[in-house]
Every structure is written in structure tokens, then in C-alpha cells.
Amino acid sequence: MNTQPWHIHVLTGDPLEEVRRRNMEEMMAGAKPKRDIISHGEYQGVHRGSRLTLPEAFRCDGDRA
């Protein structure tokens, strides 16, 4: 059972643009990524394949909402 306390925040409009702008400024200035979860390394085998193909399943092509 997954009992993690998920919280989702959604930004739109000006607040979203502000986050995008600030993120881009930080990246261009050479800031290191700030991760919530420490990476275990590169995905390998079937895990790498799932990571690369799963986003395609959620792509909106006009037929799906």
C-alpha cells in the first residue's frame, strides 16, 4: 500500500511564468539541481525503458483529454 503524503500544487498564469523565469535564471547561472529525493543513479534495463516510454502514454494528441 502506498501511504506517502502526496501534495500537489498547480500554478497557472503569472505565478507559473514567475517560477519558469526564476528557474531559467538559476539554471543559466549554473545552479545545481535541488532534489527532494536523492538519486540512486541512472535507470537501467526495463526501468530505463519505462522511464522513456511512459510520458508518451500521457501525451495529449487531441483524442484524449
Side-chain angles (χ1 to χ4, degrees):
M1 176 167 42
N2 185 346
T3 59
Q4 297 177 27
W6 295 103
H7 297 278
I8 298 172
H9 301 269
V10 178
L11 297 176
T12 61
D14 289 340
L16 175 59
E17 292 307 315
E18 175 69 10
V19 167
R20 286 179 175 162
R21 183 188 62 75
R22 290 177 60 189
N23 282 343
M24 185 61 79
E25 285 176 358
E26 287 183 19
M27 286 188 295
M28 296 303 289
K32 292 185 178 183
K34 301 174 206 164
R35 301 193 185 275
D36 293 334
I37 300 171
I38 297 173
S39 176
H40 57 77
E42 294 292 320
Y43 288 100
Q44 302 294 324
V46 296
H47 304 291
R48 179 169 171 73
S50 297
R51 181 180 161 271
L52 296 175
T53 59
L54 187 59
E56 183 65 20
F58 293 101
R59 184 178 61 84
C60 179
D61 57 11
D63 293 333
R64 293 183 241 164

